[in-house]
């Protein structure tokens, strides 16, 4: 009788774990849907990291494209090519970034990363879901995403890269109608900048 109870308890725990994992994925799916608004979204952010330093700025996103602006740099990404204008040096670096590179710059890139190679777990904290993703990705091995329960807007993303945590706090999230042109570097706007192609 005791063995049967242990087996039933074990099965119930496995089922509960499966349901819990499914709920975490559902929350991420709804969050991805909000962030992937057809016309685009805009937000403000602050980054705190030993690896990347501390900064704040704004970001515009449309699908896989994004445009981020901080006091130190402006970044454009059209889905393939990334241009980074470094204000202090008046130069533009051009490259084709990896998923890990994009995650370090675009806090919302997790909406594509979580679908492959990550295990989910979830808890709640006040009016937020806290979803933890763990995987074998060499660039980002763990992410902790805080998501508002009613709006499914992510308010904080913590990433573990190279054994160091980066915290990105997001505010002023809003939908927008964004032109594709804002995601590509326009050399006419920076006539004196040196362009360095790293591809």
């Amino acid at each position: 009788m005791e063995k049967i109870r242990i087996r039933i308890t074990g099965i119930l725990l496995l089922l509960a774990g499966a349901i819990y994992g499914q709920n975490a994925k559902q929350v991420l799916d709804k969050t991805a849907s909000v962030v992937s608004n057809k016309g685009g979204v805009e937000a403000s952010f602050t980054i705190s990291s030993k690896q990347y330093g501390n900064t704040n700025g704004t970001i515009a996103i449309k699908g896989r494209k994004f445009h981020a602006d901080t006091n130190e740099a402006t970044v454009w990404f059209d889905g393939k090519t990334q241009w980074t204008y470094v204000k202090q040096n008046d130069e533009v670096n051009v490259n084709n970034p990896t998923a890990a590179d994009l995650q370090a710059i675009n806090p919302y890139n997790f909406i594509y990363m979580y679908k492959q190679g990550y295990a989910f777990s979830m808890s709640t904290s006040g009016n937020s879901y806290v979803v933890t993703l763990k995987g074998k990705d060499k660039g980002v091995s763990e992410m902790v995403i805080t998501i508002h329960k009613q709006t499914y807007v992510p308010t904080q993303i913590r990433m573990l890269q190279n054994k160091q945590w980066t915290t990105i706090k997001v505010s002023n999230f809003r939908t927008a109608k964004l032109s594709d042109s804002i995601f590509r570097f326009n050399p006419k706007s920076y006539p004196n900048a040196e362009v360095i192609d790293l591809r």
Side-chain angles (χ1 to χ4, degrees):
M1 188 68 171
E2 189 63 30
K3 286 183 180 179
I4 292 172
R5 280 184 190 164
I6 290 170
R7 283 182 186 166
I8 291 172
T9 302
I11 290 168
L12 289 173
L13 287 171
L14 286 172
L15 286 172
I19 292 167
Y20 203 52
Q22 182 182 11
N23 286 343
K25 185 179 183 304
Q26 287 174 347
V27 168
L28 288 172
D29 286 344
K30 288 179 181 177
T31 300
S33 177
V34 169
V35 175
S36 301
N37 175 61
K38 189 175 181 180
V41 296
E42 296 176 319
S44 302
F45 65 89
T46 60
I47 297 176
S48 176
S49 168
K50 288 183 179 178
Q51 188 173 2
Y52 299 107
N54 300 330
T55 191
N56 58 65
T58 58
I59 190 166
I61 302 165
K62 187 177 181 182
R64 291 188 179 268
K65 304 169 187 174
F66 72 90
H67 173 241
D69 193 24
T70 70
N71 290 332
E72 297 81 18
T74 302
V75 181
W76 300 261
F77 179 68
D78 67 359
K80 179 183 177 183
T81 303
Q82 177 179 298
W83 296 264
T84 305
Y85 174 65
V86 182
K87 297 177 181 179
Q88 184 178 1
N89 302 337
D90 198 22
E91 67 181 30
V92 179
N93 295 309
V94 186
N95 71 321
N96 294 330
T98 65
D101 294 334
L102 290 172
Q103 186 62 41
I105 300 163
N106 177 1
Y108 290 125
N109 198 55
F110 75 85
I111 66 171
Y112 302 107
M113 295 178 67
Y114 80 90
K115 295 177 182 178
Q116 294 182 349
Y118 285 92
F120 312 100
S121 63
M122 186 174 70
S123 62
T124 59
S125 176
N127 62 355
S128 298
Y129 297 111
V130 181
V131 180
T132 300
L133 288 75
K134 291 187 178 181
K136 296 179 180 178
D137 190 299
K138 292 180 181 178
V140 181
S141 59
E142 185 174 348
M143 286 185 276
V144 181
I145 305 158
T146 303
I147 300 164
H148 193 277
K149 284 182 181 178
Q150 293 181 343
T151 63
Y152 290 94
V153 170
T155 55
Q156 179 174 282
I157 300 109
R158 296 183 67 233
M159 301 175 295
L160 183 61
Q161 295 176 288
N162 302 320
K163 299 181 180 179
Q164 293 188 355
W165 285 97
T166 297
T167 300
I168 302 168
K169 293 184 178 179
V170 182
S171 59
N172 302 320
F173 182 94
R174 59 204 173 274
T175 58
K177 291 184 178 179
L178 304 174
S179 166
D180 288 343
S181 63
I182 71 166
F183 304 105
R184 293 183 61 86
F185 170 69
N186 183 355
K188 291 179 181 177
S189 299
Y190 302 86
N192 299 319
E194 180 186 2
V195 177
I196 302 169
D197 197 328
L198 303 172
R199 290 171 292 183

